[in-house]
Amino acid sequence: MRQLKNFSANDGNNDNDGTDPVIPSADKYEGLSREQLLEALKRAVVSAKNNDSYSAEQIEDFCNFVTPMLDEEGKKRLSEVLSVIDD
């Protein structure tokens, strides 16, 4: 799983020399409905699986990391998202 230690969302440097992880802008998802977000997620997963960049291990690591921080509603939503990914 990528490490985000010392990550700054806007450090004024837009150049990526390949040493920093590329974090996609969330702006393009702003204002989308839950269904539209899930469709975008499906497209991203299909694309990642097609170009061999999908990692089930990274998904599992992420879920193991965030689950203890979620309330019951959050855990339910995470489960729904995982079901979308598994389809």
Side-chain angles (χ1 to χ4, degrees):
M1 190 164 163
R2 292 182 180 157
Q3 297 296 317
L4 297 178
K5 184 178 179 183
N6 298 325
F7 174 75
S8 174
N10 187 6
D11 62 5
N13 181 4
N14 291 327
D15 297 330
N16 187 356
D17 63 3
T19 59
D20 295 325
V22 177
I23 308 296
S25 173
D27 293 341
K28 66 181 178 181
Y29 301 109
E30 188 174 336
L32 295 181
S33 70
R34 183 175 176 194
E35 291 76 24
Q36 291 170 317
L37 289 170
L38 289 175
E39 284 302 315
L41 174 62
K42 286 180 191 178
R43 286 191 304 272
V45 169
V46 167
S47 176
K49 286 181 178 181
N50 287 338
N51 68 22
D52 293 327
S53 65
Y54 175 80
S55 172
E57 293 81 23
Q58 284 184 336
I59 300 293
E60 184 178 347
D61 288 348
F62 173 78
C63 291
N64 290 337
F65 177 75
V66 299
T67 298
M69 295 178 255
L70 300 175
D71 61 10
E72 288 307 311
E73 180 65 23
K75 290 176 184 177
K76 180 181 172 189
R77 287 189 179 181
L78 179 60
S79 179
E80 290 172 6
V81 168
L82 290 175
S83 71
V84 168
I85 291 172
D86 290 337
D87 282 348

